[in-house]
Amino acid sequence: MPYSTAQPTRTVPTVTQGSTLADVLERVLDKGIVIAGDISVSVGSTELLSIRIRLLISSVDKAKEIGINWWESDPFLSSQSQKLLETNQQLEARIASLETELRSLRPASV
């Protein structure tokens, strides 16, 4: 039997080894992930622009669990957004009508 000097290759186990993309995504959404960063644009020693980025990726259930649920009260994300827009337009028309009527009631300047 021939003697081999080659050493067996070892694989370093990773979190995603043997996992599909769906498994990784499920794990991230279940636990949540936070990405944070700062971007700064400067010329010389003068800062022109500073941007702070904070991104949370999680499932809806996990977000609610940690107290984040702003989408539930945002009128533009609810089914009532169209009704709110129509009501707003009606109110703006009513205000314009009342302002016109008020101007007509004021006595002309002498």
Side-chain angles (χ1 to χ4, degrees):
M1 181 159 137
Y3 179 72
S4 171
T5 59
Q7 300 209 354
T9 59
R10 289 189 194 175
T11 58
V12 178
T14 62
V15 175
T16 59
Q17 186 175 11
S19 300
T20 65
L21 180 59
D23 295 334
V24 173
L25 184 59
E26 181 181 348
R27 192 172 301 131
V28 166
L29 291 177
D30 182 49
K31 302 293 183 188
I33 185 170
V34 175
I35 300 170
D38 296 330
I39 299 171
S40 178
V41 177
S42 300
V43 174
S45 61
T46 306
E47 186 174 301
L48 300 176
L49 177 66
S50 179
I51 300 173
R52 298 186 74 179
I53 298 170
R54 305 293 179 257
L55 175 66
L56 168 69
I57 301 172
S58 72
S59 66
V60 171
D61 293 335
K62 186 66 175 181
K64 285 182 178 180
E65 183 181 316
I66 59 177
I68 300 172
N69 61 351
W70 52 263
W71 61 88
E72 291 178 349
S73 61
D74 189 333
F76 290 102
L77 296 176
S78 73
S79 60
Q80 298 180 7
S81 65
Q82 185 61 34
K83 182 180 177 185
L84 289 172
L85 288 172
E86 290 171 3
T87 302
N88 189 28
Q89 289 172 347
Q90 291 170 355
L91 289 172
E92 286 177 353
R94 187 172 177 194
I95 288 171
S97 172
L98 289 171
E99 287 175 342
T100 303
E101 186 177 337
L102 183 61
R103 273 188 237 114
S104 69
L105 294 176
R106 288 186 185 157
S109 307
V110 191

